[in-house]
Amino acid sequence: MGHPSDDGARPLPRRRLNRQRTRERVYVTALSLFSRQGYAGTSVAQIAEHAGIGRGTFFNYFPRKDCLVSAWSQERVRKLNHRLAPHLEGPAGSVAALRACMSALGDLNEEEPELSAAMLTAWVQCGHLFEPRPHHLDALFACIIERGRARGEIRGTASPEQLGALLRDLYFGAVHRWATRCTEPEPAAGGGPCRPHLHTELQLALSMLLRGLTSA
Amino acid sequence: MGHPSDDGARPLPRRRLNRQRTRERVYVTALSLFSRQGYAGTSVAQIAEHAGIGRGTFFNYFPRKDCLVSAWSQERVRKLNHRLAPHLEGPAGSVAALRACMSALGDLNEEEPELSAAMLTAWVQCGHLFEPRPHHLDALFACIIERGRARGEIRGTASPEQLGALLRDLYFGAVHRWATRCTEPEPAAGGGPCRPHLHTELQLALSMLLRGLTSA
């Protein structure tokens, strides 16, 4: 379906490439605005204006504003999986894998604190907290737990899915508290003061769950 | 400041009583509507109409729609404290107190599943998940943990506040999953199928945290 003036050899790839570039520009522009002024405080019209496209054109790339949140969320999953791959495939035990997982989650948030806090708030505002299907983190944690149980490292009778959900609850709680702290003081000096806390809190939560509060 | 036609003896108490009754009627009406059609799906005009008052009068009782969520939340705290008092003041240990706390939280939600699910969603939609001040449950759990540590029942170096927050994270995660299950099938037969799950899930989460996943 090439344009009549095209030579017919590669009209689609070029069009696709342009489309992909525009989509990327809209996405990056939106994240930058969300990071500075929050998701709720940013309109589609504003994103379109800053990206140099018409408001109507925006919807060709993202049918709804919250599709930007889903796109960010998917990108996060890709980054997490990429960073975790060496820890999940190697011979290291399940405890080390859980520690690596919490560590990677801490890093991903702390590398861009304002954006992470804004997108996490947006994610909740868009109702994703009440989605019926399990979060991908549940499955990731459950997979590590399952291997750990097979190796005799994880005890108890709760299912890997139940324990995966618990680990996700601990992560969500910690990251929500951290996001609140990040957005509380005006975004002045790059969110510096929040940086050490999430990492520490995640490892502490994991340690508590691994060792237990009452075991000798 | 009695009305000119009043006898001057007790105009204020009567007026206060009427005011209190109207406020209660608005509150009960609103909860009933939220329970049936959700918080976001219920307008102030609708609440006012069902309560038999004008839309403008509504705001004399609740300055904003989300004040109904705060009122419900405060009522929940009162009920929880009332039910827990015997367990917190007696000689029983901290583990029993934590179990009683999770049990009371499970009961409070499961006694009115549709309303609880609707109000929990509303509470999140109103942005309370990102409030900077700690949730009252953090303090309640922290208080039990502190006593447990003084009695040598709770080990480890994490502060009671940190452990209180962890316990709240486990509760929030479980109750959010439960609320999602409650609202997922159309509210047909009184939410019956959700009933047993929250209680079980809360006790399981608590057991996991108490005993630990890796301790022998």
Side-chain angles (χ1 to χ4, degrees), chain A residues 95 98 117 120-122 124-125 129-133 138 145 153-159 162-163 165-170 172-177 179-180 183-184 201 204-206 208-216, chain B residues 95 98 117 120-122 124-125 129-133 138 145 153-159 162-163 165-170 172-177 179-180 183-184 201 204-206 208-216:
Chain A
V95 170
L98 289 174
L120 191 71
T121 315
V124 171
Q125 282 168 346
L129 201 58
F130 294 100
E131 269 178 355
R133 69 192 166 89
D138 297 21
I145 292 285
E153 296 161 351
I154 303 288
R155 66 177 197 136
T157 53
S159 72
Q162 285 172 315
L163 295 179
L166 285 197
L167 283 158
R168 196 250 289 196
D169 293 342
L170 294 182
F172 270 22
V175 81
H176 284 149
R177 274 190 293 282
T180 306
T183 48
E184 220 193 347
E201 204 169 328
L204 176 91
L206 179 58
M208 294 298 102
L209 185 61
L210 290 174
R211 294 202 306 250
L213 302 186
T214 54
S215 305
Chain B
V95 170
L98 289 174
L120 190 73
T121 315
V124 171
Q125 281 168 346
L129 200 60
F130 292 100
E131 269 178 354
R133 71 191 164 90
D138 296 21
I145 291 286
E153 295 161 353
I154 303 289
R155 65 178 197 134
T157 53
S159 73
Q162 286 172 315
L163 295 179
L166 286 197
L167 283 157
R168 196 249 290 197
D169 294 342
L170 294 182
F172 270 20
V175 81
H176 284 150
R177 275 190 292 281
T180 307
T183 49
E184 220 194 345
E201 204 170 327
L204 176 92
L206 179 59
M208 294 298 102
L209 184 61
L210 290 174
R211 294 202 307 251
L213 303 186
T214 54
S215 306

Side-chain angles (χ1 to χ4, degrees), chain B residues 9-53:
Chain B
R10 30 190 301 191
L12 260 173
R14 193 183 302 137
R15 190 183 290 177
R16 261 195 207 140
L17 194 65
N18 285 340
R19 190 179 153 76
Q20 210 172 313
R21 278 182 188 149
T22 308
R23 188 183 186 280
E24 184 64 19
R25 193 171 73 244
V26 173
Y27 178 70
V28 170
T29 305
L31 294 200
S32 163
L33 288 167
F34 293 160
S35 176
R36 275 181 286 144
Q37 55 196 38
Y39 175 78
T42 304
S43 68
V44 165
Q46 223 175 353
I47 298 167
E49 190 196 328
H50 278 75
I53 57 168

